[in-house]
Amino acid sequence: MDFEEPSAEAPPVEQLLGWAWPEWVTAPLNDGVEVFALPQRLTGALANASSAELEELAGRWTTRVRSEDGDDMTDDDLLAVLQGVVRLAASAVDTGGGLYSWSS
């Protein structure tokens, strides 16, 4: 959504509900582990994003996180995080695979 309709603000809930979201490969378990398959549309958008688009997205992401979390914002370099995800997305597109997110 951030590629197609860039905004520093979070979109309205109605708009969020209309978008394809990652699907659970495994629903959250008791230990908090979950795996998501990202939509192909997002994987392709990430794989084909330009450096300028990634910088702009990271800037909007940082602004949004700071406005929501204030001083508790992560110290991670969000552009570097995006660039790493883009490399994975590009590999997924090149091999005909998918992009997954595992969290615990």
Side-chain angles (χ1 to χ4, degrees):
M1 183 177 345
D2 272 311
F3 286 116
E4 294 180 15
E5 297 179 29
S7 173
E9 302 296 319
V13 173
E14 306 80 43
Q15 187 177 3
L16 289 173
L17 294 175
W19 285 83
W21 290 97
E23 295 180 20
W24 271 319
V25 174
T26 60
L29 302 173
N30 290 337
D31 60 0
V33 171
E34 56 191 353
V35 178
F36 293 99
L38 276 63
Q40 290 296 324
R41 181 175 169 184
L42 173 58
T43 303
L46 287 166
N48 294 308
S50 69
S51 294
E53 288 173 313
L54 290 177
E55 289 175 22
E56 186 178 324
L57 178 58
R60 287 193 311 272
W61 187 13
T62 300
T63 299
R64 190 174 301 153
V65 170
R66 280 199 177 118
S67 72
E68 293 172 3
D69 297 337
D71 292 336
D72 293 334
M73 186 184 150
T74 179
D75 288 333
D76 293 334
D77 178 346
L78 299 182
L79 178 57
V81 171
L82 276 175
Q83 289 167 333
V85 173
V86 164
R87 285 190 295 275
L88 293 171
S91 177
V93 168
D94 289 345
T95 62
L99 188 59
Y100 300 88
S101 173
W102 170 82
S103 64
S104 61

